[in-house]
Amino acid sequence: MPSEVLWYIIPREGAYPWEPEGRRPVDLGYLQQLAGTVERLGYSGALLATDLHDVWPLGSALAAATGPRFQPLLAVHPGLIAPTLLAKMALTFDTLFGGRLRFNVVNGSTRALREYGLNVEHDERYELSAEYWSLVKRLTAGEVFDHKGRYYELTDAGASFRDLKPVQTPHVPLWFGGSSPAGIEMAAQHVDVYLTWGEPPAQLKEKLDRVRERAAAHGRTLRIGLRLHLIVRDTEEQAWAAADRLLDVTSEATYARQLGGRADEDGVGWQRQFRQHGGRVPARARELETHPNLWPGMSLFRPGPGTAVVGSTAQVVARLQEYEALGVDTFILSGNPLLEEAYRVAETVLPALGVRP
């Protein structure tokens, strides 16, 4: 039985939101309704991912409209906000909303971060991230200190908000995923929950063994979380038909935008995912099945994690339990559209995982 199951919330959503015609209008009332539904259905919160819209206004609006069970997991790139300011924002959020904040550490890509003036190559991103989050952890634990490192020099950090007492101990939790040696080392030393995208279980086991080995070398243990899309239907045939439809409604322009020039993306997680389909758009979804019911095809038309579990309720539950057997204790799930699929998954899959509204 998993310790947590989270859902996913993003403003641009719908049946196939990567296409304009498959996208609902961005509406705060609807998003607050979605968050309230996620809470009532038994999920322990939701990942608020990086997209066109910033996560801080969204997280604040959803936290204000929900109760203590809804814990927002905010995706944050280290280095884009000064660590002292980020800590102040986090402590303010927790003070106002009862200690519900969690950080999803996103290291991004060299190319994407240049837009924000952050020019660091792959391994250096993780070196910066390690220093950055070590500072944020100390600051959100209520410390006041001086620091002189490679990327940051702080004097009397935290003094201006020393009366803003931490709500969570020992600090605001860090969730993070990285598949490169540098990313795994950063996780082993600094984070609380190691996140990974969906991969065939044998392949994933090898990575998780490395993560645990490196964490143990630092005298630490990590929780393990898995990010997956679900396409669950009454029958396996219906589920694969739904996956086929996603391929059919996706435009050539979207495929070109998502796949063009990305085979050399410097994120190792993306490279591992890309190798599962090689940038090939199949005639039928099941041509890309890499393990029973495991489909990497979502990454053909959306950024970020792109693996879906496709099948009947019993098959989807079996695949999730297969991941649990590897030590995964936390799932971040999604399906399109987010509201309708939150209900479907809660009514079919979650009871088998021991989750009740």
Side-chain angles (χ1 to χ4, degrees):
M1 175 179 172
S3 61
E4 287 196 74
V5 179
L6 288 77
W7 197 242
Y8 178 80
I9 296 180
I10 196 167
R12 291 194 298 177
E13 84 97 0
Y16 46 104
W18 48 89
E19 300 293 346
E21 61 273 19
R23 189 183 307 151
R24 287 172 170 156
V26 175
D27 176 77
L28 177 59
Y30 167 74
L31 294 169
Q32 290 176 324
Q33 175 192 357
L34 173 57
T37 299
V38 166
E39 182 179 32
R40 289 191 298 274
L41 290 174
Y43 302 93
S44 61
L47 169 62
L48 312 186
T50 56
D51 185 50
L52 181 64
H53 303 86
D54 186 73
V55 295
W56 280 99
L58 176 63
S60 298
L62 300 189
T66 53
R69 182 173 176 83
F70 183 84
Q71 300 180 66
L73 176 61
L74 267 59
V76 176
H77 286 84
L80 301 189
I81 301 174
T84 309
L85 178 57
L86 183 76
K88 183 177 182 179
M89 295 164 65
L91 290 173
T92 301
F93 191 104
D94 268 354
T95 298
L96 295 176
F97 301 121
R100 290 189 268 156
L101 179 63
R102 298 183 282 192
F103 284 128
N104 176 32
V105 176
V106 183
N107 263 36
S109 69
T110 299
R111 179 177 56 186
L113 291 176
R114 285 177 181 150
E115 178 183 355
Y116 297 91
L118 192 60
N119 293 289
V120 287
E121 297 300 325
H122 182 276
D123 284 6
E124 191 179 6
R125 290 204 308 272
Y126 290 102
E127 294 170 6
L128 181 150
S129 186
E131 183 176 345
Y132 183 91
W133 290 108
S134 66
L135 296 173
V136 172
K137 286 166 65 175
R138 295 179 66 187
L139 288 161
T140 60
E143 291 188 41
V144 176
F145 58 91
D146 296 339
H147 170 82
K148 186 172 183 179
R150 178 178 178 184
Y151 299 99
Y152 295 99
E153 184 171 349
L154 309 178
T155 301
D156 217 15
S160 63
F161 50 89
R162 68 170 74 237
D163 293 333
L164 194 56
K165 300 302 182 184
V167 182
Q168 302 190 69
T169 57
H171 53 258
V172 175
L174 303 185
W175 299 37
F176 165 82
S179 296
S180 68
I184 289 174
E185 190 64 23
M186 186 270 181
Q189 294 186 57
H190 296 286
V191 309
D192 304 293
V193 180
Y194 178 79
L195 294 175
T196 181
W197 296 349
E199 297 179 351
Q203 181 178 327
L204 183 60
K205 181 181 183 302
E206 293 177 1
K207 182 169 72 171
L208 295 183
D209 286 346
R210 292 199 304 273
V211 171
R212 294 189 181 100
E213 178 184 350
R214 293 310 307 151
H218 295 283
R220 306 182 72 236
T221 58
L222 305 178
R223 286 174 52 197
I224 304 295
L226 182 63
R227 172 77 179 96
L228 285 170
H229 301 275
L230 299 186
I231 302 177
V232 56
R233 297 294 186 269
D234 291 338
T235 68
E236 182 179 23
E237 292 73 20
Q238 291 171 342
W240 283 108
D244 287 339
R245 182 172 184 274
L246 296 181
L247 293 175
D248 294 339
V249 298
T250 300
S251 68
E252 293 298 325
T254 295
Y255 285 128
R257 181 176 64 250
Q258 177 63 11
L259 298 174
R262 295 204 63 186
D264 60 350
E265 177 73 55
D266 68 347
V268 173
W270 165 259
Q271 293 171 4
R272 290 167 68 99
Q273 187 169 254
F274 190 91
R275 285 195 293 268
Q276 294 185 48
H277 55 65
R280 179 175 68 91
V281 180
R284 286 292 174 261
R286 200 158 193 178
E287 295 174 28
L288 296 182
E289 189 177 21
T290 57
H291 181 77
N293 310 108
L294 207 64
W295 185 57
M298 298 291 292
S299 62
L300 294 171
F301 35 74
R302 69 174 306 282
T307 300
V309 180
V310 182
S312 67
T313 298
Q315 290 172 322
V316 170
V317 169
R319 296 291 79 74
L320 296 183
Q321 291 174 336
E322 192 172 5
Y323 285 120
E324 283 188 272
L326 298 181
V328 173
D329 63 15
T330 300
F331 292 104
I332 303 176
L333 306 175
S334 64
N336 298 111
L338 291 173
L339 180 63
E340 290 87 334
E341 291 303 306
Y343 275 106
R344 187 197 300 270
V345 172
E347 293 167 352
T348 58
V349 174
L350 294 195
L353 299 180
V355 178
R356 296 289 187 276

